[in-house]
Structures are given as C-alpha cells and as structure tokens.
Amino acid sequence: QQQKFGFLFGGKEPDSTNASDKLCTLLRPPYSLIKPPSSARFTYAVDPQSFGSSLLGASSSGPEHGYHPTCVSLDPAYGRKKERSLVVGFDDGRLILSKLQGATGIGFTSLFGGKVSTAAGGGTAVNKVDVVLYQGMGATSFSGDQAGIETVTWRGGLIAWADSSGVRLFDIESMSRIAHVDRPTGARSSLYPTISSSLRPSLVFEQSDLLLIGWGDCLMGMQVREVLRSTAATKDGAPAREIKRKTVMVTMAWELDCVACGVVPMDEKHVAVLGLVPSPSLVDGDESDHNDKSNRDYSIAGGDNILELQIINRVDGTSISNDRLPLSEGPQQHQSDQRITAANATDFCLLSSFACPKMADTAEWEALDDAEKVSIERENVGSQSTSSKTVLDSHLRWNLGGDICSAGNEIQSEAMEYDDQSVSSNCSVSSDNYLFVLSEPIGDLLPDSALPSRASPPIMTAIYSYDLCLVQTRDVDDVVSYTRSLGKPSLALKQALAHRREVRRHGLDQLVDDYFVALLRMRSNGKGRPLSFSRLKIATESLPILLGGDSRMWQRWLFMFSKIPGGLYAIREKIPVRDPDLPAFVFEMSLEKMLEEALSNYNEQKNRPGDESQQNKEYLVGEKMADLFLETMRSWGPTSALRRRIQLHRYCAQNQQWGLQWHSLSGSSAVVPFIRQAEKDLHRRISQTAFGVLSDAHHSPSSTHNSSIRQSIDSSKDSLFDVEHLITRLASRFQLDVKLASRFQLDDNDNGGALTDSDRSSKIILGDLKDNYAVIVESMAELELMRERFDRALGYYLTIGSKFMVDTLSSLEDTAVRSVNTFYQNSGISTEGGQTELESVKYSHVLSLIELHQLTHVLLKRNFFFVTETDNSAAESPIVALIMLVGLPRAGRFLMDHCSPPEGASTSIDPDGYGSAFIGSNLPIDLVANQMKSRPKLLYWFLFQVFIHKPDIYVKFPTTAVPPRPITDLHRMQFSLFVDYADEDGAKNRERDQSLAGLTGMKDTPFMVFLRAVTKVGGVQAENIREKLESCRGGVTDSPAFARELAFVIENFGKGTVEDAREVLQLYIRGAKNLHMAVAFAERSTKYSGVLWDMLVEHCTTPDPTSGAADQNSYLGALFGSLLEAAAHTGSDLGSLVSRIPEGMSIEGLRPKLISAITDYRYKVKIHEHVDNMLMEDKISVSRELSHLSRRGARMVCGDGEAQNTKNSSAELASVSSRDLLKSQRSRVSSVHNSRPFSLSIR
C-alpha cells in the first residue's frame, strides 16, 4: 500500500473476528427520504412496438421478453427548461429519449404510453413523447457480457452511451450520431478469473467536449471537435457549400493494472480510477499461502481482489498513487471452498464532486447570479481561459501538484535535509526551517483576504452494495499533523500559515508555541545542546511577526523569555508599547527582571577570578546591560518624559557654550545618538501598530482609539508601568539605619508605600545600598524625572558623580592641574581627565536640566544628599559631584556662565533654607570655592577659570578702588595653590631651550599672569609674595623654582638698588636659564645697564665646571653666540658686544649670525619708517576732510528757538560725519600698523 499523497477514508475496517456483529458499528449518517416539492413519473409500456420505429436500427428481441431499464440520465438543464427530458437505456439494447411537453404542476404525474392524463395529485396533464435514439443488440456470445445499454451520460448537446459493442456519441441538438468506438479488448470479464460479473464501463463528460472512458483495463479520453467540410455541387444546380460536422479525436488511451469500476477527473493532468487488483498471492502463484483459508479476511469486500483508488497521469499513464480501500463485505458472505473467490465488479462505483452533471458552458454562465459572475471573472483573469465569461470545470480550477495534499514528499525531503547533521550539510546548525519567518515578507506568509480562496479539492465516494467510503485528499490539518509527528514544528507552522483559511483542527497559537519552544530548546530541561545566540536572534526577530496583536500570547512569551538569560534584553525593542495594549504588571516584571540580570552580572564579575583584560570585557558588558535597562525604562515611561529628554539633549547640542571653545566639536555630535534614540522611542510609542499572524480576539478597535485620544490629552500619565510602584520597589534597596527609619514611616495609601516624608522633601538620603551599583540610583533619577520632581532627580544624578565616580577623581584632579599649568601653551583643555567622551556626554543633559529648571540653588546646598541622616562627610559636595559627572570642560564653562560676585564677607549659608544667594540662577564664586576646599586641585582649576573668564568680578573693579574682602581672600587662596601646584619641572625643561625659536616663542606662565594682575589690586602683598617664593627656593641660586616669578616681584616691587638688579639678572641667568629675558632686562634697566652687560659677558666667557661640558671652549663659544642672537633680537649694540669677544674663542657661524641679525634689524627699521609715513599721510588726509567739513555752510532759520535747534543739529551732524570718516580711514590702515611685534629703540 502506497500513500504518496495520503488520502483519508471515511470507512472503518471491521475486525476479522465476528465481522457480522460489528458491521453495525460502522459510522454511517442517517438518511431520510423527503418528498420533493415537484416531481414527475415516467412509465414505459411492456410492448416495445408501442414506441414506434427506431432511429438507429431494429429491435433484436422478441415481444415475449420482459424489458427493464438498465441506466438513465437526466437532461442537465432539467430544472431550467419547460420541456423536461431524460434518456433511458434498456436491457434489450434500446436507448429512448423521453420529453415532457407542457407545464408540470405540484405533485406526481403518471404518464402511460404517452397518453394525456390528469395527475393524481391535481397536477396539470402533460404530453410525453418518446423517441428511440438507438436500437442495439442484447447479450453477446461472450460470457459475462451484459445485455443492452450498460451506461449513459449527458452534457449539453452530447449524449454518450455504451453497450456490448462499444461506446457511441450522439448529438441531441442535430439528432445525428457523431462516432462509435469499439469495445476495448481488455473489457471482458472472462479475462479476469477474480471477476465474476460483467465489466460495466464508466463514462464521464469532464468538459463540454471531452469524454472520459474507463472500461476494463482501458482508460481513454475523447474530444469532440467541430470541422468544416465542403459538399460537392448537385446535379440539380445546387452550389457547393461548407457544413459543420462534429468529429472525435482520441486524446488519451492507456492500459491500467486494474479492472476499472469507476473513473472521474482529478485535475487537468490526472484521473482517479477505482479498480480491482488481483491479490498479490495470486499474481506470485503462491498456492500454499493461498490455500490457507485462515489468512483470508472475508469481511473485506472484493474477494481475492484488492480494491484500490489509483491516481493516473494523463501524459504517460503511470500511477502516481495507489490507495487501498477496505470496504466491508455483506453479512451473507461466507467462506467458499473454491480456490478463488471472485468479486462482482458492478457492485462498485466511484462518484466525485468533479464529475457532476453540467449544462453547456453558456447555460452554466447564464445560471449564475451577479455575485457569482464577478467572482468567476476575477478567477479567470489569472487562468488560461480564453474568455472571462466561462465557468471552468471544477477539476480545471484545482491543481493536484499545487495543493497541500502533494506536499508529502517535499515535507519529508525537507525534514531529512534538516536532520542531516553532517559537516557538509548547510542546515546542520538548525534542526528545522526556523528562518522561513524572516526569509519571506509577512504578506507572503499569510493568504491575502482580498484574493479568492483556493479551489476546493474533490470529494469522492467509493460505493459498494454494503458499504461506502468517503475519499478526500489530505488537507492542511493532516499535513500539519504529519509534520509535527516528524518533530518539525517550524515546517508545520509554515504549512499552516500558507493555508490559514483551511486550518480547522489545529490552533495557530499552539503551533506558534511549538515553534518557539523548539527554537529556544525549552524542552531540553538543561540537557543536550545549549541555546545559541543565533537561535535567540531568530526568535527575537520572529516574535512580532508571529505574535502580532495577540495580547495573551505576548504576556505568555514575555514571561518565557524572562527565564532565558538575556532574553528580555534581546526582545526589548520588539515588545509592543501601543498595539496590543499590555497590562502594566507585564512591563514592571520585565524591568525588574532586567535589573536583576544586570546586577547579577556585576556580582559574577566581582566574584569571578581572571585576568584584567577579561574582567574589563565583562565590565563593559555589565555597563552595556545597565544602559539598555535604563533606555528601556525611559522608552516605557510617560511620553512627556521622552519629549522632555529630547528637549534637554537638543538644548545641550545647540548651546555653543559648554566646552565647545575648549575642545573639539565632536562633543556636540556625540549628543546626537541620544536625541535620535529618544525620538525613535517617542515615535514608536505614538505609531507602533501590530501586524502579524495572530490577532487579539478580546481587543476592540475602540480601545486603541481611546488610548490615542488620552495620550494626546495628557501625555504625562500614559506610562506603561506604575512609576510610583517602581520607585517603591527600588527604594527598598536603600538600607536606612534604625534612627532614620523611625523618622520616615511607610504609608501604603500614599505613593504605593513610598517614604512619605522623603517624598515631600527634596533631600536625597541613600543609606547603605544593598548593591553598590550606580544603575539603581540612576533609575531613581529617571523615575523622578518622570514624575517631574526635578530637584530630587538632580540629587540622584549628583549622587552618581559623588559615590560611583570616585575612581576617576584622581585622574580628574591631575588633568585640572595640568590644564592650568599648560593653559598658554595648549589654549585650553583637550582631555576629559579620566572620563571617556561618551561618559561625559551621557550626563551632559544634567546641565540643561539645571539651567532650564533653575536648579542652581541645589548645587549650593552642601548637605543635599546624605549617606546617613546627619553625616555627609562620605559624600562629595554638589559642585565637585557635578564636575565628576559631566567632566571638566562642560562643568567649567557651565560654572563660568553662572558664577556671580560674592554675596558678602560671610561665606556661611543656611543648609535648610534659601538665602539671597539662592535666588535666581547665579552661583557666587565664594560659595562655590567654599565647597571645593576639600579638593584643592579642583579649587586651583576653578579659581584659574574665574581669573581667565571672569576678570570683571575677580581682578578688575571699575566701580571701586578697594576689592571686596571675599575676593582678596580668594586671591590669597589662589596664590597658595599656585605655589603648591605650579609646574616647576615643565618650566625648567622649557627654559633650557636656548634656540632662537624658543626664545621668541616664550610666553608668560599662568602664575606670572596671575601675579601681574593681583599685585596691581593689592590682593596679595609683594613682600609676602617675595618672602614665600624665596622660602620655596631655599636660597639656591641655580634652582628653577619660581625664578621668573621672583625676578618679576623684585624688579617691579623691590628697592631699585644695584643689588636687586644683580639678583634679578642672576635669577634669569642661573634660575630660569634664559638669556633672552636676561638681555631684555639689561636693556630695560638703563640705570644699571653697564653693570648688567658686564655680568652677561662674564657669564658667557667664564668656564662653568657645573655645566658638565667636556670642551669648555666650544661650550662658551656657543653660549656667547646665543648672547649675540638675543642682543640682536632686542636691538642692542652689537658692535660693542663683538669687540668684547675674548681672543681664541671659537663661535661657530658667527659671520652668518651677524649678517642675519643686521639684516633683520634693517628690515625692522624700514617697516617702522613705512608705518610712520602711512600714518602721516592718513593724518593729513583726515585733516583735510575735517577742514572741508568745517567750512561747509549751515542753514539758519529765523526765530530764537528754531535757530538754536537748527544750529545744534548741524553741529551734531558734523560730528557724526567726522566720526564716520575717522572710522573709515582706520579701516583702510593695514593690521601691521595696529601693533608692533617687537620693542626696539631706533637710534
């Protein structure tokens, strides 16, 4: 038995024992005969002479025999015509066409012999006309042949019948015969020992012009065609003409391996045949096995034959499917003593829904209503039909190869392909076709509802005298069951989706569950192969496609994914936030599970031994998980919080103040990803729509509409989870001590059990965290932003900088000191001081939060957040925490934008209330400095930023001659910090550079600039400065420490004696080791110029044993050459200096140096001369213009008041014109005139 295509049968095979007792258990539907509303009775006379003459021959039987009808066929248009017709075949070989002429009433009408009568039921009398279409012969001489007409069929204008001579075709419209086909040789029962009766032929009009014939072992197909034939001219002068005649062409003729009992069309390429096949034991000739009566099953119909339903290919006649039908035998069947038990072939018949009687094509079209015609036309558009107004036969609309019943071989081969675990197999990674969901668009997976449904497969019935069997092709439910039995849930789901309309016994939700359970290996229970990342990725991408809008399934699989490590992180962007509407507890469960996974990852990282590189990788993974958790929580919060976050980041990106002047512009572009992510989350919250396989049966469209309206009205309360409840759950991780816990009582009726006192206060009290993780504190900050408690949110953010960024504090302080000491070399700060660019940009929106919501007063509250109730020593000050949070560049510029003059001499503030300093958005510099005293390096950096960027409030006082005391205190504090953190080593290395480029490029140190400005306002006394610097140098002349600074103080604030001049020169020569500064000082000090030059010459000509030079002569020559270059640069008298070169001193490149120095000097003189000439010409030109304007006449008007007004206005216009003229002339002067690049006294 073969089941390639797998047909299902409705019959039940009876048990071999007590078959007669169990026949009643076969399931058969109850039948009841209902009298039709209108019917007619056809009665025929016993005497054949009453029918008149035959059309096709004389009768071969005598009148003494009794004649009985053997077959009948109604006109297919019987119910639509007034003239009712039928064809009846008799056992004497006659084929009679009977017509009822007239209207038929309700009830039964008895017609005898064509006479008019009145119906017994009151019907109208009609006239019946009988016409003999054919008169054949009776039984033949062959044994087993049936006498008379064996079968007849009718479609449209064609009638086909068969008798012992063969098959005949007749045109009922023209009342002419068409063709006769002889009886096949294999259509005789005598050729088959297992057949006891005659072989009845099977005739079916599968189309209006195609006849299907099955007779014996022969299968034929005949096509009726119309041809034009020309007739010759007659003798009486009639012209030749063309007439249409119908001919027959055999389209198919195959020999079967069975005896056909019935034949019906399957599709355009296949035919179904019900036949009897001899038992294999008879064919093989195994007599011993055949004589064993106990092996026979006498409860099965067919005797020693097997009843099979075969599918025959029209093209080559091969059988593509053989299915055995075990029909039950009748109760009178008994064991026979004969060796062979024959079967009666006439007891078997095959009916099909594809072989129902039909009218002609035009009549079938006209019988349709309008809706059916539209459907047929749409269906014929994609078919090969020549006309859209043609009703295709059922077997032409259905295709066996394209139907689900033919998918058995493909499913089995595909399953074997995925079961192949060899190395060469491309599918060895997956045991099923899980990728089909992603490889095809969702529209291709699901059938289009707008398209017409697929044609239904044929429904066939195999009929026996004692049993019948309903025969159907396998449907999609059978294919799904078969695929699931193979252990391929993905293939089963694929078939169910492709034929979704036909699925009846299987639920799509169950198939989807099986798909994900197999894909995620959830039935292994920790045994077997672990879940791979590729499988998790496939499941993540398939989730929204398969679950669609089914809220129940989403809840189920969110809980299932929460059991997979990292599962919720993988599907977080796929979880629906709008459609379908999921309950809040689902999102809360997901967030808590994601947080627990992030914290457990931190714990495993701390407790797991390993090398440093591996721990760094795991640390980055933990940071990434924390960031994804926070991003998910923000995306599920209120939409107003998302809009506010976009506003904060955009404000930070568009504001060109925070650090953009101090470092590269990449910092601004780094904010763009945060903006895009927030915009993406907001857009998804507003427009996310489910589109997939499943839909929510309990979801009403009005709920989504109402949700959208509510969101547009109040977007601050549309959070997907309960914010207050989540705050309570996270706050439980803050372990407060007993004393503090007694003050803050839990209230279950307010805020979900949150700390009510703490909830009303703006102070942040952390306690001792169970888990030392910043993600918990940052989550609290985000939740406080969601409920618009901005001060508390800022407190949590500052807590992150204070408590969780301590490791970066040392590098941050080093960077702050380095940025001050190298300010005039690097023009700013180029590093973040221990923080990466991403870390500093991550919290840059905190600055926007402070500025937009005027939270600068929070930064001035020293005790804003605590570790315990009263002790805040473990926490950094808010200003320091802010610097640690956002980095030096952004924090520095922010502080400079908001710092203000001191409020007064007192720097104490009220920790619990707000003083005058808390009003507005200003930060008094004395209060900020007071907070930063615990971090002197950061204070050193902050005071220098104030000195550079806020000189009007720090070193320049246009409205007062005496600076405020808080400012002078800050000056003294900054001076001490300069002494402690100035970069002596870097200054020493730079000042050893004796090249000309190094001499001309030397700039003042930040300490020098500070001293120049502070000593003018008297913030620090010069005597104190000199005393402090000398103590730092320790009396060592060659020490480079603060040599320039001490020289500056002595030169400008000393007594002006020759000893001070000598000391200053020694500091430049020995301490700073800079000849340029020494020569410039000698030129400036005209009073002691000679003495100073003698000291310089002596320094350059006296050997120095401490220099370490092997060749003192060469060393002194190079040193004297540097002196000449410095003298030439400052415009000194080179002639007198050259004359003082000692004899025997070798100065390399002396001549070129002198020529270059003289040439440079001459160029400078020429430049000054040209500048003076240009200025003189401009002065003359401006004077002429002013003289011309002064001589211009003025219009005078009579009247005292008017004349005075006119005169004043004219003078005002003249002065305005003069100013404009001067401005235009200045703009024409080259930029070279505005400043002199050197100081040179022209002699």
Side-chain angles (χ1 to χ4, degrees):
Q1 181 181 358
Q2 301 179 7
Q3 291 189 3
K4 294 182 179 180
F5 289 85
F7 290 88
L8 299 178
F9 312 112
K12 179 179 179 182
E13 181 179 357
D15 194 356
S16 58
T17 61
N18 299 329
S20 59
D21 298 333
K22 294 187 177 182
L23 286 177
C24 59
T25 62
L26 299 179
L27 299 179
R28 295 183 177 87
Y31 295 102
S32 59
L33 181 60
I34 302 176
K35 179 181 177 181
S38 176
S39 60
R41 177 180 296 171
F42 291 82
T43 308
Y44 298 92
V46 176
D47 185 5
Q49 299 298 329
S50 61
F51 294 110
S53 61
S54 175
L55 294 177
L56 300 178
S59 174
S60 61
S61 299
E64 64 275 4
H65 295 90
Y67 305 106
H68 306 282
T70 58
C71 54
V72 63
S73 177
L74 286 175
D75 183 4
Y78 183 87
R80 301 187 62 84
K81 293 182 179 179
K82 293 183 178 181
E83 185 182 62
R84 310 295 174 88
S85 304
L86 59 84
V87 176
V88 183
F90 290 87
D91 56 359
D92 62 347
R94 289 177 300 164
L95 184 67
I96 299 177
L97 171 64
S98 300
K99 297 182 180 180
L100 296 180
Q101 297 177 353
T104 303
I106 304 299
F108 283 93
T109 303
S110 299
L111 304 174
F112 299 94
K115 297 180 180 180
V116 179
S117 62
T118 302
T124 305
V126 296
N127 185 24
K128 184 170 79 70
V129 178
D130 297 329
V131 179
V132 179
L133 299 181
Y134 171 73
Q135 177 63 65
M137 57 183 178
T140 63
S141 59
F142 296 99
S143 62
D145 287 350
Q146 183 176 344
I149 306 299
E150 299 185 24
T151 183
V152 62
T153 183
W154 189 353
R155 177 167 180 177
L158 299 178
I159 297 178
W161 68 88
D163 59 0
S164 58
S165 63
V167 179
R168 299 176 183 271
L169 281 170
F170 188 81
D171 188 356
I172 196 66
E173 295 177 351
S174 62
M175 298 298 289
S176 61
R177 63 182 181 179
I178 299 176
H180 170 262
V181 179
D182 292 336
R183 181 176 183 172
T185 304
R188 303 184 185 278
S189 60
S190 59
L191 301 177
Y192 309 100
T194 58
I195 304 299
S196 62
S197 63
S198 63
L199 304 181
R200 178 179 295 175
S202 178
L203 304 180
V204 176
F205 274 108
E206 55 180 332
Q207 295 186 42
S208 59
D209 56 351
L210 289 179
L211 178 64
L212 187 62
I213 304 173
W215 201 351
D217 63 350
C218 182
L219 177 65
M220 293 187 298
M222 301 175 63
Q223 183 179 9
V224 180
R225 300 183 303 173
E226 287 188 354
V227 296
L228 294 176
R229 292 187 177 181
S230 301
T231 59
T234 59
K235 296 180 179 181
D236 55 358
R241 59 191 181 90
E242 292 183 350
I243 60 175
K244 293 183 179 181
R245 297 197 59 182
K246 295 182 179 180
T247 61
V248 174
M249 179 183 66
V250 178
T251 58
M252 174 182 61
W254 303 111
E255 182 180 357
L256 304 174
D257 60 353
C258 65
V259 177
C261 300
V263 58
V264 293
M266 283 287 293
D267 63 357
E268 190 176 5
K269 297 181 180 180
H270 300 89
V271 177
V273 177
L274 179 66
L276 293 172
V277 181
S279 176
S281 60
L282 295 177
V283 176
D284 297 337
D286 190 355
E287 295 293 339
S288 61
D289 187 31
H290 180 72
N291 292 330
D292 188 3
K293 302 296 183 178
S294 62
N295 293 334
R296 298 181 181 178
D297 188 357
Y298 292 95
S299 63
I300 303 301
D304 285 329
N305 300 281
I306 297 175
L307 184 64
E308 286 186 355
L309 182 63
Q310 300 183 0
I311 306 300
I312 307 300
N313 193 333
R314 297 175 187 261
V315 179
D316 54 8
T318 58
S319 175
I320 65 172
S321 175
N322 300 329
D323 295 285
R324 182 178 180 179
L325 305 183
L327 297 182
S328 299
E329 186 56 85
Q332 71 276 11
Q333 179 70 20
H334 56 84
Q335 296 185 3
S336 175
D337 295 336
Q338 300 178 1
R339 296 181 58 191
I340 298 177
T341 303
N344 188 354
T346 59
D347 291 342
F348 299 94
C349 179
L350 180 63
L351 302 180
S352 174
S353 59
F354 284 4
C356 298
K358 286 190 176 183
M359 300 180 291
D361 293 341
T362 56
E364 289 285 344
W365 176 261
E366 293 175 356
L368 301 176
D369 55 17
D370 296 338
E372 293 174 340
K373 290 180 179 180
V374 172
S375 177
I376 293 296
E377 288 179 350
R378 186 170 61 251
E379 183 179 352
N380 292 342
V381 171
S383 64
Q384 300 179 355
S385 177
T386 56
S387 175
S388 61
K389 297 183 179 181
T390 302
V391 181
L392 294 178
D393 290 274
S394 300
H395 71 282
L396 298 180
R397 296 199 299 268
W398 184 74
N399 183 13
L400 179 64
D403 195 76
I404 188 63
C405 66
S406 64
N409 291 336
E410 290 79 1
I411 291 175
Q412 188 174 7
S413 61
E414 188 173 0
M416 294 176 62
E417 179 182 359
Y418 282 95
D419 285 336
D420 184 9
Q421 298 297 321
S422 61
V423 179
S424 60
S425 175
N426 296 328
C427 305
S428 60
V429 177
S430 300
S431 59
D432 204 348
N433 185 15
Y434 299 111
L435 289 174
F436 85 94
V437 181
L438 307 179
S439 59
E440 302 177 11
I442 184 63
D444 297 341
L445 294 177
L446 301 177
D448 190 358
S449 59
L451 296 177
S453 59
R454 299 185 181 184
S456 301
I459 300 176
M460 296 176 287
T461 305
I463 301 178
Y464 180 50
S465 300
Y466 303 99
D467 196 9
L468 61 84
C469 178
L470 180 65
V471 182
Q472 286 183 312
T473 59
R474 282 195 181 272
D475 56 9
V476 64
D477 291 300
D478 302 317
V479 173
V480 170
S481 300
Y482 173 67
T483 311
R484 294 181 69 184
S485 66
L486 297 177
K488 305 299 177 185
S490 178
L491 296 180
L493 178 61
K494 181 180 180 181
Q495 296 296 335
L497 293 179
H499 307 81
R500 184 175 183 178
R501 297 179 180 177
E502 291 80 20
V503 177
R504 296 294 182 269
R505 299 196 307 267
H506 297 86
L508 286 179
D509 53 352
Q510 182 61 39
L511 296 178
V512 170
D513 282 342
D514 294 343
Y515 171 85
F516 283 115
V517 167
L519 178 58
L520 299 174
R521 302 184 186 274
M522 289 187 171
R523 290 177 179 170
S524 59
N525 296 325
K527 302 178 181 179
R529 299 174 62 182
L531 176 63
S532 62
F533 177 75
S534 60
R535 282 175 170 260
L536 182 60
K537 184 177 180 181
I538 295 173
T540 300
E541 299 296 331
S542 304
L543 203 62
I545 299 176
L546 295 181
L547 299 189
D550 194 337
S551 176
R552 180 185 59 84
M553 289 290 289
W554 272 108
Q555 296 180 41
R556 165 178 166 76
W557 279 104
L558 283 178
F559 281 101
M560 297 296 289
F561 268 89
S562 65
K563 301 178 182 179
I564 302 174
L568 291 176
Y569 284 94
I571 67 171
R572 63 182 189 86
E573 292 185 345
K574 307 298 181 182
I575 300 176
V577 294
R578 178 178 174 271
D579 183 22
D581 187 11
L582 301 180
F585 72 87
V586 176
F587 296 99
E588 295 173 6
M589 180 278 302
S590 302
L591 290 175
E592 293 181 7
K593 185 64 178 179
M594 293 174 68
L595 179 60
E596 290 297 333
E597 290 186 9
L599 299 182
S600 62
N601 182 77
Y602 279 118
N603 290 329
E604 293 177 1
Q605 171 195 345
K606 292 180 180 179
N607 300 328
R608 183 183 306 163
D611 56 352
E612 185 177 356
S613 61
Q614 183 65 23
Q615 290 181 356
N616 291 336
K617 292 181 181 179
E618 294 176 356
Y619 173 78
L620 294 178
V621 172
E623 289 294 322
K624 183 62 177 178
M625 293 180 66
D627 292 341
L628 292 179
F629 163 74
L630 294 171
E631 183 179 309
T632 305
M633 184 176 65
R634 287 191 292 264
S635 64
W636 293 350
T639 55
S640 60
L642 288 174
R643 293 187 176 93
R644 187 181 302 109
R645 188 172 185 84
I646 295 173
Q647 177 191 16
L648 295 177
H649 280 295
R650 283 181 177 174
Y651 183 82
C652 183
Q654 295 173 0
N655 195 335
Q656 299 296 323
Q657 301 178 15
W658 296 336
L660 299 186
Q661 299 177 0
W662 294 2
H663 61 87
S664 63
L665 295 179
S666 61
S668 177
S669 60
V671 185
V672 176
F674 296 97
I675 300 176
R676 291 179 178 174
Q677 182 63 40
E679 290 177 344
K680 176 183 176 182
D681 296 337
L682 180 60
H683 181 268
R684 190 165 182 265
R685 288 289 301 276
I686 296 175
S687 61
Q688 182 263 330
T689 303
F691 179 74
V693 173
L694 302 179
S695 59
D696 195 351
H698 306 286
H699 178 71
S700 61
S702 60
S703 62
T704 303
H705 179 68
N706 296 335
S707 177
S708 301
I709 294 178
R710 181 178 60 83
Q711 184 184 52
S712 61
I713 294 176
D714 187 3
S715 59
S716 62
K717 298 181 180 180
D718 58 354
S719 176
L720 301 180
F721 57 90
D722 190 352
V723 177
E724 302 293 342
H725 176 70
L726 195 58
I727 288 177
T728 304
R729 297 296 298 270
L730 293 179
S732 62
R733 295 179 177 270
F734 297 158
Q735 282 187 337
L736 305 179
D737 55 14
V738 179
K739 182 179 179 181
L740 190 61
S742 62
R743 286 188 53 200
F744 295 91
Q745 301 295 330
L746 292 176
D747 185 7
D748 295 335
N749 298 325
D750 185 15
N751 296 333
L755 297 177
T756 56
D757 193 6
S758 177
D759 186 62
R760 291 190 296 267
S761 174
S762 60
K763 294 181 180 181
I764 303 301
I765 303 177
L766 297 179
D768 295 328
L769 288 176
K770 293 180 183 179
D771 307 301
N772 190 19
Y773 307 126
V775 62
I776 301 177
V777 181
E778 189 169 355
S779 301
M780 294 293 291
E782 296 292 344
L783 293 174
E784 294 292 350
L785 279 178
M786 293 178 187
R787 64 174 187 172
E788 300 182 358
R789 290 297 306 272
F790 304 117
D791 52 350
R792 294 181 59 84
L794 177 59
Y796 283 115
Y797 278 124
L798 296 179
T799 305
I800 296 174
S802 173
K803 188 174 180 61
F804 302 100
M805 293 186 176
V806 181
D807 298 337
T808 63
L809 183 58
S810 59
S811 60
L812 190 71
E813 291 179 335
D814 295 339
T815 303
V817 173
R818 186 171 59 253
S819 66
V820 174
N821 295 335
T822 61
F823 178 79
Y824 290 105
Q825 294 181 357
N826 300 334
S827 299
I829 303 172
S830 59
T831 62
E832 287 289 344
Q835 285 183 311
T836 62
E837 182 65 25
L838 183 60
E839 288 177 348
S840 62
V841 174
K842 177 182 178 181
Y843 299 104
S844 61
H845 67 282
V846 177
L847 301 177
S848 303
L849 178 67
I850 297 173
E851 184 164 308
L852 292 179
H853 296 280
Q854 297 184 0
L855 299 177
T856 53
H857 62 273
V858 175
L859 301 177
L860 299 177
K861 298 179 65 176
R862 180 62 181 85
N863 55 350
F864 184 74
F865 45 85
F866 296 86
V867 176
T868 61
E869 180 186 6
T870 58
D871 182 19
N872 62 346
S873 59
E876 296 290 344
S877 63
I879 298 295
V880 176
L882 180 66
I883 296 174
M884 298 169 64
L885 187 67
V886 301
L888 284 175
R890 289 179 175 81
R893 193 58 185 174
F894 174 79
L895 293 175
M896 294 305 101
D897 289 340
H898 294 83
C899 67
S900 60
E903 291 298 318
S906 176
T907 58
S908 61
I909 61 174
D910 183 9
D912 297 327
Y914 299 119
S916 59
F918 294 87
I919 301 175
S921 59
N922 296 328
L923 297 173
I925 58 176
D926 55 341
L927 301 183
V928 175
N930 187 40
Q931 286 194 22
M932 302 177 69
K933 285 182 179 180
S934 59
R935 298 295 174 182
K937 292 184 179 181
L938 294 181
L939 178 59
Y940 172 58
W941 165 82
F942 168 72
L943 292 178
F944 184 74
Q945 305 307 314
V946 176
F947 170 73
I948 295 297
H949 299 285
K950 290 291 185 178
D952 52 338
I953 65 173
Y954 195 64
V955 292
K956 295 180 181 180
F957 306 99
T959 60
T960 180
V962 180
R965 182 175 178 179
I967 294 296
T968 57
D969 294 340
L970 294 178
H971 287 173
R972 288 188 290 270
M973 188 184 303
Q974 187 174 4
F975 171 74
S976 300
L977 294 173
F978 266 115
V979 173
D980 295 337
Y981 301 113
D983 191 10
E984 302 93 345
D985 295 334
K988 178 180 179 181
N989 296 331
R990 290 192 300 272
E991 291 171 358
R992 283 181 177 177
D993 187 6
Q994 298 296 322
S995 63
L996 181 62
L999 294 176
T1000 56
M1002 181 60 65
K1003 299 179 181 179
D1004 287 339
T1005 62
F1007 196 9
M1008 282 290 299
V1009 177
F1010 172 74
L1011 291 176
R1012 293 180 190 275
V1014 171
T1015 52
K1016 293 180 181 179
V1017 299
V1020 184
Q1021 297 298 323
E1023 294 80 4
N1024 298 334
I1025 296 175
R1026 182 173 181 176
E1027 181 181 357
K1028 185 68 174 179
L1029 296 181
E1030 288 178 348
S1031 63
C1032 292
R1033 290 178 55 84
V1036 181
T1037 307
D1038 295 339
S1039 175
F1042 306 115
R1044 293 179 56 186
E1045 289 77 4
L1046 182 57
F1048 165 76
V1049 174
I1050 296 174
E1051 180 183 358
N1052 292 276
F1053 301 99
K1055 299 179 180 180
T1057 61
V1058 66
E1059 288 78 10
D1060 289 347
R1062 289 176 180 272
E1063 186 177 357
V1064 171
L1065 188 63
Q1066 287 294 333
L1067 288 172
Y1068 285 134
I1069 295 175
R1070 300 292 184 183
K1073 294 180 174 58
N1074 195 315
L1075 285 176
H1076 171 75
M1077 294 182 180
V1079 171
F1081 173 69
E1083 282 295 312
R1084 290 195 304 269
S1085 302
T1086 56
K1087 184 177 181 180
Y1088 306 109
S1089 179
V1091 178
L1092 297 178
W1093 275 108
D1094 292 341
M1095 292 179 63
L1096 287 173
V1097 173
E1098 181 182 0
H1099 172 73
C1100 295
T1101 56
T1102 303
D1104 185 7
T1106 62
S1107 62
D1111 190 358
Q1112 289 290 334
N1113 190 18
S1114 300
Y1115 172 73
L1116 293 176
L1119 188 60
F1120 204 93
S1122 299
L1123 179 62
L1124 291 175
E1125 291 180 3
H1129 183 71
T1130 57
S1132 302
D1133 188 2
L1134 294 179
S1136 61
L1137 191 60
V1138 171
S1139 63
R1140 302 180 66 173
I1141 298 176
E1143 294 182 3
M1145 179 177 288
S1146 175
I1147 301 176
E1148 186 179 356
L1150 177 60
R1151 182 181 179 87
K1153 290 181 179 179
L1154 293 176
I1155 294 175
S1156 177
I1158 295 173
T1159 303
D1160 291 343
Y1161 176 74
R1162 288 177 180 177
Y1163 278 129
K1164 294 176 182 179
V1165 172
K1166 289 182 180 180
I1167 290 174
H1168 278 279
E1169 291 177 355
H1170 284 294
V1171 169
D1172 290 339
N1173 294 334
M1174 293 176 65
L1175 289 176
M1176 186 58 67
E1177 291 176 0
D1178 292 343
K1179 185 185 296 184
I1180 294 173
S1181 177
V1182 172
S1183 299
R1184 287 177 180 175
E1185 186 68 23
L1186 292 176
S1187 177
H1188 176 73
L1189 292 175
S1190 64
R1191 295 195 301 268
R1192 179 180 298 176
R1195 181 179 178 85
M1196 303 299 294
V1197 182
C1198 298
D1200 298 336
E1202 295 180 357
Q1204 185 67 25
N1205 293 336
T1206 304
K1207 183 177 180 180
N1208 293 337
S1209 61
S1210 300
E1212 184 178 356
L1213 290 175
S1215 62
V1216 171
S1217 301
S1218 302
R1219 288 196 301 269
D1220 295 340
L1221 178 61
L1222 288 174
K1223 291 181 181 179
S1224 62
Q1225 292 297 331
R1226 291 174 185 172
S1227 62
R1228 292 169 55 187
V1229 180
S1230 176
S1231 60
V1232 182
H1233 305 168
N1234 299 332
S1235 61
R1236 296 185 180 183
F1238 53 85
S1239 176
L1240 181 64
S1241 58
I1242 302 176
R1243 299 178 182 177

